[in-house]
Amino acid sequence: SKDKGPYPYHIYLMDNRMPGMLGRECIKVLREDGVKSMIIGVTGDVILEDQQKMMQSGADHIHPKPVKIKDLRKIIEDWAISYLS
């Protein structure tokens, strides 16, 4: 298989509360490393400021927990349509 570098994925689901590093910190690192893939921030945080911080770090979309597959599918479909047009 062809080497796609250290970030081979088209879509990332990033939880905001991870051990060792907040999701928004990880998103910032990915963006600084040139990752252009879609990043969906997943969070149980209801505080708008926390959600805004994820967006400011480079997330393309924020989705609350629990994640429902039908909602995730719609987010990805909408992104793919805009990405391909």
Side-chain angles (χ1 to χ4, degrees), residues 13-27 41-47 49-51 53-54 65:
L13 293 178
M14 187 67 62
D15 194 328
N16 195 36
R17 302 281 179 199
M18 301 185 303
M21 179 183 279
L22 291 175
R24 67 177 177 258
E25 295 168 341
C26 188
I27 292 168
V42 180
T43 182
D45 296 328
V46 295
I47 300 170
E49 182 180 345
D50 289 339
Q51 294 177 13
K53 286 179 183 177
M54 282 189 87
K65 291 180 184 178

Side-chain angles (χ1 to χ4, degrees), residues 16-76:
N16 195 36
R17 302 281 179 199
M18 301 185 303
M21 179 183 279
L22 291 175
R24 67 177 177 258
E25 295 168 341
C26 188
I27 292 168
K28 186 176 180 189
V29 169
L30 289 170
R31 294 301 188 209
E32 287 172 352
D33 283 353
V35 172
K36 299 198 184 328
S37 303
M38 179 184 200
I39 300 176
I40 301 172
V42 180
T43 182
D45 296 328
V46 295
I47 300 170
L48 185 58
E49 182 180 345
D50 289 339
Q51 294 177 13
Q52 289 172 337
K53 286 179 183 177
M54 282 189 87
M55 290 297 291
Q56 291 168 351
S57 68
D60 295 293
H61 186 86
I62 303 297
H63 192 73
K65 291 180 184 178
V67 176
K68 296 179 182 171
I69 296 298
K70 69 176 187 152
D71 296 338
L72 190 57
R73 180 178 292 134
K74 174 81 169 112
I75 293 164
I76 294 168

